[in-house]
């Protein structure tokens, strides 16, 4: 739309901005100044890196880990939320699941995720604030189905972000997970029962 907009193209010419990515950075910079005025910080999906990353912006790295790595190496904070491991609106198995947006993300894959990417030094690693699971609801119609898509995948995510970095044992996690069912049943959470079964 910016390419086709006469108004936007005139603005770019007046500001001597060469391309639309750089215009986005200009826009993000203006929003950042407004937020800073009120003591707030800007946070955005990793597209905000395109055209140049503004200082103090926190990056939500969803298109893989590159956005988070770029942010951390630039001195910016990042939250890791890659589709590969943390999109809970993806299918949980190849068959027998309710309609979802696509992708395949079984519990074991969530549990295998390490939020601090390889290749960062100790100072850069401190810029990774944590990780976030996403549940977009285009195909999820009820709160009960949100629970089904999230639990126990969010339990796996909680453990990987709240425990020390270590080699993780999925079968040991599954054993502990079965004790957790007791609390889910008390709260009447609509968890995915098949995720608790032993392989």
């Amino acid at each position: 739309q910016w390419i086709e907009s006469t108004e936007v193209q005139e603005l770019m010419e007046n500001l001597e901005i060469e391309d639309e990515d750089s215009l986005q950075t200009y826009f993000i910079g203006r929003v950042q100044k407004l937020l800073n005025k009120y003591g707030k910080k800007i946070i955005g999906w990793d597209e905000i890196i395109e055209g140049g990353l503004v200082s103090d912006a926190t990056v939500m790295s969803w298109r893989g880990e590159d956005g988070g790595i770029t942010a951390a190496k630039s001195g910016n904070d990042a939250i890791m939320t890659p589709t590969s491991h943390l999109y809970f609106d993806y299918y949980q198995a190849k068959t027998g699941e309710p309609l979802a947006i696509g992708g395949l993300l079984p519990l074991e894959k969530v549990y295998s995720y390490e939020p601090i990417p390889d290749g960062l030094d100790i100072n850069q690693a401190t810029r990774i604030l944590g990780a976030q699971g996403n549940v977009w609801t285009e195909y999820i119609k009820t709160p009960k189905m949100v629970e089904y898509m999230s639990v126990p995948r969010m339990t796996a995510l909680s453990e990987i972000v709240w425990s020390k970095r270590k080699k993780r044992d999925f079968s040991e996690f599954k054993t502990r997970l079965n004790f957790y069912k007791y609390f889910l049943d008390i709260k009447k959470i609509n968890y995915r029962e098949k995720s608790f079964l032993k392989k």
Side-chain angles (χ1 to χ4, degrees):
Q1 290 176 339
W2 285 359
I3 293 170
E4 295 172 0
S5 168
T6 305
E7 184 180 358
V8 169
Q9 292 302 315
E10 285 176 4
L11 175 66
M12 287 172 58
E13 189 175 333
N14 291 338
L15 295 172
E16 298 181 357
I17 293 175
E18 294 181 9
D19 57 39
E20 287 73 23
D21 286 342
S22 298
L23 178 62
Q24 175 177 275
T25 301
Y26 164 79
F27 173 76
I28 297 290
R30 287 191 62 187
V31 171
Q32 179 191 32
K33 285 176 187 170
L34 290 170
L35 291 174
N36 287 350
K37 183 177 169 184
Y38 296 99
K40 307 292 182 188
K41 277 184 67 174
I42 195 166
I43 184 170
W45 299 105
D46 57 39
E47 288 90 342
I48 67 170
I49 294 171
E50 297 164 6
L53 184 57
V54 297
S55 64
D56 294 331
T58 299
V59 173
M60 300 288 290
S61 190
W62 74 278
R63 296 179 297 177
E65 295 187 325
D66 290 347
I69 292 168
T70 297
K73 287 185 174 181
S74 300
N76 291 61
D77 290 336
I79 298 165
M80 306 307 288
T81 182
T83 58
S84 60
H85 290 81
L86 299 178
Y87 268 52
F88 298 167
D89 52 344
Y90 282 13
Y91 286 104
Q92 299 186 70
K94 291 181 181 176
T95 59
E97 292 296 309
L99 181 65
I101 196 165
L104 177 63
L105 183 56
L107 179 64
E108 187 169 5
K109 188 164 185 184
V110 175
Y111 193 70
S112 73
Y113 186 60
E114 174 49 56
I116 308 293
D118 290 333
L120 298 179
D121 66 31
I122 189 72
N123 291 322
Q124 294 164 345
T126 64
R127 291 296 188 165
I128 305 299
L129 301 180
Q132 172 181 292
N134 293 302
V135 187
W136 305 107
T137 57
E138 295 95 327
Y139 293 85
I140 303 171
K141 302 299 181 193
T142 65
K144 286 287 186 195
M145 285 310 298
V146 171
E147 291 175 357
Y148 178 87
M149 298 299 280
S150 303
V151 182
R153 292 191 284 193
M154 71 178 194
T155 310
L157 171 60
S158 297
E159 182 159 317
I160 63 174
V161 295
W162 292 341
S163 63
K164 291 182 180 178
R165 188 174 189 170
K166 62 181 179 181
K167 184 170 172 46
R168 294 188 169 85
D169 181 339
F170 183 66
S171 60
E172 187 268 339
F173 170 73
K174 289 275 294 236
T175 299
R176 288 185 290 109
L177 191 60
N178 275 288
F179 292 113
Y180 184 57
K181 275 178 65 174
Y182 169 79
F183 300 101
L184 296 172
D185 288 335
I186 287 174
K187 294 291 187 181
K188 295 183 173 42
I189 302 296
N190 185 41
Y191 55 83
R192 182 177 184 267
E193 182 73 36
K194 291 177 188 173
S195 293
F196 291 83
L197 301 175
K198 295 268 187 186
K199 283 189 175 181

